[in-house]
């Protein structure tokens, strides 16, 4: 069995561009398209509601359900894009957690040959704090291809 390519897909145009670009460059016939569902407490580190309000009002649970449904839709769409770009078999996969560590864990669990992701350019604050692509590129134990946005 060959090692799959791990495409990271968050539904953005940059992630779609990364799938299309990398699929034409890589000679892999097998890919996994990962979409990460981020729990509410992981998404909002400076949560103005506070932990207690988020838990008591069930907003965290509702956010988690929405994030899980969105991740399934995104993974399926990303797999379709990969197939349209020439990947023979693209399997959608979802996982829950903070994006960078979750991507790294899934890459290890699936012995991915390479991690492919798009990059976003949000500005100086994001550059200061770091991005998911930057963290994955620095911490991965395998090659990472970051495709810049258009």
């Amino acid at each position: 069995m060959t090692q799959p390519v791990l495409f990271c897909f968050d539904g953005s145009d940059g992630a779609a561009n990364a799938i299309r670009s990398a699929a034409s460059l890589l000679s892999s016939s097998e890919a996994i398209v990962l979409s990460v569902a981020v729990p509410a407490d992981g998404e909002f580190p400076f949560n103005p509601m506070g932990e207690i309000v988020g838990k008591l009002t069930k907003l965290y649970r509702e956010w988690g359900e929405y994030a899980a449904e969105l991740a399934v839709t995104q993974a399926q769409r990303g797999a379709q894009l990969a197939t349209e770009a020439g990947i023979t078999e693209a399997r959608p996969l979802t996982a829950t957690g903070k994006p960078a560590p979750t991507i790294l864990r899934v890459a290890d669990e699936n012995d991915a040959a390479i991690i492919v992701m798009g990059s976003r350019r949000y500005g100086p604050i994001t550059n200061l704090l770091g991005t998911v692509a930057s963290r994955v590129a620095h911490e991965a134990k395998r090659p990472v291809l970051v495709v810049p946005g258009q």
Side-chain angles (χ1 to χ4, degrees), residues 7-11 33-37 67 70-76 92-96 102:
F7 290 111
C8 303
F9 188 70
D10 63 2
V33 180
L34 173 66
S35 185
V36 178
L70 180 61
V72 168
T73 300
Q74 289 175 342
Q76 291 171 341
L93 178 67
T94 62
T96 302
T102 303

Side-chain angles (χ1 to χ4, degrees), residues 46-58:
F46 307 109
N47 185 350
M49 303 189 290
E51 289 292 312
I52 294 172
V53 174
K55 290 178 182 174
L56 289 178
T57 62
K58 300 181 184 170

Side-chain angles (χ1 to χ4, degrees), residues 110-131:
N110 290 278
D111 192 27
I114 186 171
I115 301 169
V116 177
M117 54 197 321
S119 70
R120 296 182 180 181
R121 297 196 172 126
Y122 289 123
I125 298 298
T126 304
N127 291 339
L128 177 66
L129 298 175
T131 64

